[in-house]
């Protein structure tokens, strides 16, 4: 039952374009006893069908820039090969720590973006009064 809930939450977040895999990795890491390498590999398998559905929906709605997509796909494949080779060199604990640092950096960036957007809104609203 837990896996169904985790998969559903991750699928919704993925469909919103916000990194369902990141949520999947986080939830599997918190709520299961799986090792980080297994969690990350499971995430990659999860990504295939969810991506296919998202691609179909976005093609249908004409939301894909194919020129950029091809460049990103090729770069992503190269990055995946390099990343896999690097991840196998880390033990479970170190990989978990690196993932935690990654999430922390993303959180700080997002908070900064929200803050700067808020500051811009205040300036615009002050000028309009």
């Amino acid at each position: 039952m837990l896996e169904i809930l985790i998969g559903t939450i991750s699928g919704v977040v993925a469909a919103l374009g916000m990194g369902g895999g990141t949520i999947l990795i986080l939830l599997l890491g918190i709520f299961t006893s799986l090792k980080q390498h297994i969690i990350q590999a499971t995430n990659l398998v999860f990504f295939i069908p969810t991506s296919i559905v998202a691609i179909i929906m976005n093609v249908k709605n004409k939301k894909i820039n194919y020129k950029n997509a091809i460049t990103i796909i090729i770069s992503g494949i190269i990055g995946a090969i390099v990343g896999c080779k690097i991840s196998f060199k880390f033990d479970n604990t170190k990989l978990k720590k690196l993932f935690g640092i990654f999430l922390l950096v993303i959180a700080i960036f997002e908070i900064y973006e929200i803050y700067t957007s808020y500051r811009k809104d205040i300036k615009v609203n002050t000028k309009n009064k």
Side-chain angles (χ1 to χ4, degrees):
M1 184 67 178
L2 180 62
E3 290 85 357
I4 293 170
L5 183 61
I6 290 171
T8 302
I9 292 168
S10 299
V12 169
V13 173
L16 293 172
M18 297 187 298
T22 303
I23 296 298
L24 179 66
I25 291 171
L26 180 65
L27 294 176
L28 287 175
I30 292 170
F31 296 112
T32 70
S33 60
L34 297 172
K35 294 188 182 254
Q36 191 69 19
H37 289 94
I38 302 296
I39 292 170
Q40 288 180 209
T42 301
N43 173 58
L44 295 175
V45 173
F46 162 84
F47 187 71
I48 295 168
T50 57
S51 294
I52 291 169
V53 171
I55 290 167
I56 291 167
M57 298 298 290
N58 283 297
V59 166
K60 183 178 175 181
N61 291 307
K62 298 179 180 158
K63 299 288 184 187
I64 297 177
N65 179 318
Y66 291 98
K67 182 179 176 189
N68 287 344
I70 290 169
T71 302
I72 292 168
I73 288 167
I74 293 168
S75 302
I77 290 169
I78 293 167
I81 292 167
V82 171
C84 260
K85 289 182 183 271
I86 292 171
S87 79
F88 291 139
K89 295 179 189 260
F90 294 115
D91 66 8
N92 189 55
T93 304
K94 187 172 265 187
L95 201 54
K96 276 187 165 187
K97 287 179 183 177
L98 288 172
F99 184 70
I101 291 167
F102 169 72
L103 289 179
L104 185 61
V105 169
I106 289 173
I108 291 168
F109 176 77
E110 289 298 323
I111 291 167
Y112 175 76
E113 288 292 313
I114 290 168
Y115 175 76
T116 56
S117 176
Y118 173 75
R119 298 287 296 168
K120 287 178 186 175
D121 288 347
I122 289 175
K123 284 183 180 180
V124 168
N125 290 335
T126 305
K127 287 181 182 181
N128 291 335
K129 289 184 178 184

